[in-house]
Amino acid sequence: MSKISKKDFEGFKNLFHRFLQVKGPSVKWDKIHKPPEDLIHPYDKIKAQALPDSVAASLNKLVVVKLNGGLGTSMGCKGPKSVISVRNENTFLDLTVHQIEHLNKTFNVDVPLVLMNSFNTDEDTKKILQKYTHHRVHIHTFNQSRYPRINKESLLPVAKDLGMHGDHADAWYPPGHGDIYASFYNSGLLDQLIAAGKEYIFVSNIDNLGATVDLFILNHLMTQPKDKRCEFIMEVTDKTRADVKGGTLIQYDDKLRLLEIAQVPKAHVDEFKSVTKFKIFNTNNLWISLAAIKRLHEQNTMDMEIIVNPKTLDGGLNVIQLETAVGAAIKAFDNALGVNVPRSRFLPVKTSSDLLLVMSNLYSLDAGSLTMSKKREFPSTPHVKLGSSFTKVHDFLMRFESIPDMLELDHLTVSGDVTFGKNVSLKGTVIIIANHGDRIDIPAGAVLENKIVSGNLRILDH
């Protein structure tokens, strides 16, 4: 066994041991309280503080970490999700590199980028990174652990040996982003960055295009009173109906804690999803102290709840994956805070419907950052639901000759075999449904405002 597998094996053993010991839900519902107001800071107040001249000094203590373990399979792509083109031929990774390079040049600082890869994405990502050698950003990578999937019935590992090839590839999985703490530590990179004078990491999902380095939050973090040095900030934002499943921040045993839907007893799931009791959710944009990660990992006191993720393998075998979430460690850190940020900091691209939004004129691109167009009169994004003909990125791109004008769109539903010509404009509520066997071609230059289009349409007269 290589050294890394030994560490993985130890980690898996501990997680599995904890899984066998846990009986019943990890939270007692009547002990859950709303977080006290003084622990959830409103972003507007933070932004009202003028930035000090020393902002460059703070940036020099920062490292940006992107969670890059995911594949693009749900969007019909092969390889790491981070190499899907999202805007003007730029991939998620390109945008991230441009943002950090822009910071480094503007403030004359050295903010490094760290990618946490998984065994699924590591090789492809490393090849792609060569194209950034002349950019002004130091890029490091480390790998998530590799754990064996467990047979749901027998509770035995599916893997028969440590091999990853052929039939064995799907016997393994990366155990969720909560694995960042142990993997970062084990890679040696954590110590290396501490030695280089770095103090905090800003962690986010690589597919969240809203997760840029925010100088106001960074300054807020750095200027907490010495006796109340903040070790963990979780960015939360107000829930809408679309976010009912997102994890939320609660007060539990006098500590801030992340509550995920998987931990909620069945009888309380509706209450958890309601927008009245739990008004905020975790964006997974996190600011965390490096020294605290080192301390907590060495003391083994980062007790993250286990998420049991059921899967069915191609052959029909039911397995479970034991995972943890990076935000679940919040309760172990000292003086943790939530910051209630605007929705614009949460812009994940999980589906082709999300992709349509970020490719459209709703957003403008500046130095790798997407910002809502000034011409959009409403602060919220339109609600877009594209049907299964659009799921794969390749099919999605074939169906749009150009991305429609969506500045005045509120709601779009598209279902069935539908294509869009050049320079189409969508406004208000637009519903386009091609019935089975029918096809609808929206012609070039069409303006659809509060329209329902159904049936079979090849030519539309203006």
Side-chain angles (χ1 to χ4, degrees), residues 53-74:
D53 299 336
S54 62
V55 76
S58 295
L59 278 167
N60 271 327
K61 294 174 182 169
L62 185 69
V63 177
V64 173
V65 180
K66 293 284 181 183
L67 304 170
N68 185 46
L71 292 167
T73 38
S74 63

Side-chain angles (χ1 to χ4, degrees), residues 273-286:
K273 286 181 173 180
S274 86
V275 187
T276 42
K277 180 163 181 176
F278 301 105
K279 291 185 164 59
I280 52 175
F281 74 97
N282 167 28
T283 62
N284 224 32
N285 301 347
L286 309 166

Side-chain angles (χ1 to χ4, degrees), residues 72 96 129 154 325 418 421 457:
T96 301
L129 290 180
S154 67
V418 178
L457 180 81

Side-chain angles (χ1 to χ4, degrees), residues 312-337:
T312 304
L313 301 186
D314 285 347
L317 181 68
N318 289 325
V319 296
I320 53 174
Q321 298 180 176
L322 302 181
E323 302 177 5
T324 54
V326 55
I330 187 168
K331 59 184 180 191
F333 289 83
D334 292 340
N335 304 312
L337 296 171

Side-chain angles (χ1 to χ4, degrees), residues 36-318:
E37 281 188 5
D38 60 338
L39 292 187
I40 309 280
H41 296 184
Y43 180 79
D44 293 350
K45 270 196 176 152
I46 290 170
K47 201 169 177 178
Q49 303 295 319
L51 287 174
D53 299 336
S54 62
V55 76
S58 295
L59 278 167
N60 271 327
K61 294 174 182 169
L62 185 69
V63 177
V64 173
V65 180
K66 293 284 181 183
L67 304 170
N68 185 46
L71 292 167
T73 38
S74 63
M75 294 174 79
C77 296
K78 286 192 164 53
K81 185 171 181 184
S82 54
V83 301
I84 295 176
S85 286
V86 280
R87 181 85 191 203
N88 311 357
E89 303 301 308
N90 286 298
T91 65
F92 290 107
L93 200 49
D94 293 337
L95 294 176
T96 301
V97 171
H98 293 164
Q99 285 163 22
I100 300 176
E101 183 177 45
H102 179 67
L103 266 182
N104 286 339
K105 284 178 172 171
T106 307
F107 294 96
N108 192 22
V109 290
D110 175 20
V111 176
L113 169 64
V114 172
L115 300 172
M116 178 165 88
N117 297 335
S118 66
F119 60 80
N120 291 319
T121 61
D122 188 51
E123 213 173 299
D124 290 341
T125 301
K126 280 184 173 153
K127 280 183 200 147
I128 290 154
L129 290 180
Q130 290 165 3
K131 77 179 204 185
Y132 305 119
T133 40
H134 299 296
H135 286 67
R136 187 171 161 178
V137 53
H138 291 108
I139 304 178
H140 309 269
T141 64
F142 69 93
N143 257 3
Q144 258 182 290
S145 307
R146 180 186 91 165
Y147 287 178
R149 286 178 163 145
I150 298 162
N151 182 317
K152 196 177 173 185
E153 303 306 318
S154 67
L155 291 186
L156 291 171
V158 177
K160 297 289 181 275
D161 58 44
L162 291 173
M164 286 282 301
H165 305 291
D167 305 341
H168 292 298
D170 64 359
W172 304 90
Y173 73 99
H177 41 55
D179 178 57
I180 184 172
Y181 304 109
S183 296
F184 201 7
Y185 182 92
N186 291 337
S187 70
L189 191 54
L190 180 79
D191 282 335
Q192 191 185 319
L193 291 165
I194 291 174
K198 304 297 179 191
E199 291 181 16
Y200 285 96
I201 53 174
F202 170 52
V203 183
S204 62
N205 298 354
I206 195 139
D207 64 8
N208 177 7
L209 294 176
T212 55
V213 172
D214 186 284
L215 298 176
F216 297 98
I217 297 176
L218 176 66
N219 181 51
H220 189 64
L221 183 64
M222 292 289 189
T223 51
Q224 291 300 308
K226 280 279 177 279
D227 58 331
K228 273 200 161 172
R229 207 56 212 275
C230 173
E231 294 183 342
F232 197 111
I233 281 181
M234 176 181 286
E235 293 185 34
V236 293
T237 193
D238 292 343
K239 251 189 196 184
T240 66
R241 298 265 171 240
D243 316 301
V244 292
K245 290 183 177 160
T248 191
L249 265 188
I250 56 170
Q251 172 95 335
Y252 194 92
D253 292 340
D254 292 328
K255 283 272 191 185
L256 276 186
R257 185 157 161 178
L258 178 65
L259 178 67
E260 298 275 8
I261 193 162
Q263 295 159 251
V264 177
K266 285 220 168 28
H268 295 282
V269 166
D270 286 345
E271 196 180 338
F272 174 81
K273 286 181 173 180
S274 86
V275 187
T276 42
K277 180 163 181 176
F278 301 105
K279 291 185 164 59
I280 52 175
F281 74 97
N282 167 28
T283 62
N284 224 32
N285 301 347
L286 309 166
W287 304 74
I288 313 172
S289 154
L290 284 165
I293 294 175
K294 183 176 164 73
R295 179 188 81 235
L296 292 169
H297 182 78
E298 288 174 350
Q299 293 170 351
N300 196 19
T301 48
M302 231 181 270
D303 170 33
M304 289 172 281
E305 289 78 24
I306 297 171
I307 298 162
V308 180
N309 188 357
K311 295 259 178 193
T312 304
L313 301 186
D314 285 347
L317 181 68
N318 289 325

Side-chain angles (χ1 to χ4, degrees), residues 283-420:
T283 62
N284 224 32
N285 301 347
L286 309 166
W287 304 74
I288 313 172
S289 154
L290 284 165
I293 294 175
K294 183 176 164 73
R295 179 188 81 235
L296 292 169
H297 182 78
E298 288 174 350
Q299 293 170 351
N300 196 19
T301 48
M302 231 181 270
D303 170 33
M304 289 172 281
E305 289 78 24
I306 297 171
I307 298 162
V308 180
N309 188 357
K311 295 259 178 193
T312 304
L313 301 186
D314 285 347
L317 181 68
N318 289 325
V319 296
I320 53 174
Q321 298 180 176
L322 302 181
E323 302 177 5
T324 54
V326 55
I330 187 168
K331 59 184 180 191
F333 289 83
D334 292 340
N335 304 312
L337 296 171
V339 170
N340 193 341
V341 296
R343 181 70 184 204
S344 55
R345 291 194 53 75
F346 184 66
L347 187 60
V349 180
K350 303 282 182 202
T351 62
S352 53
S353 303
D354 299 332
L355 194 56
L356 180 62
L357 290 172
V358 299
M359 290 175 93
S360 76
N361 60 345
L362 286 164
Y363 291 96
S364 44
L365 182 63
D366 179 31
S369 299
L370 286 182
T371 45
M372 178 77 79
S373 164
K374 297 271 191 290
K375 294 177 187 161
R376 170 87 174 161
E377 293 190 355
F378 322 100
S380 60
T381 44
H383 193 61
V384 172
K385 284 195 293 201
L386 299 178
S388 54
S389 313
F390 292 81
T391 303
K392 293 182 172 171
V393 174
H394 175 261
D395 298 342
F396 163 89
L397 294 171
M398 297 282 287
R399 292 182 175 277
F400 290 98
E401 270 191 67
S402 69
I403 301 294
D405 164 11
M406 293 166 45
L407 280 175
E408 294 177 43
L409 180 70
D410 300 323
H411 180 108
L412 173 68
T413 296
V414 183
S415 173
D417 186 359
V418 178
T419 63
F420 292 80

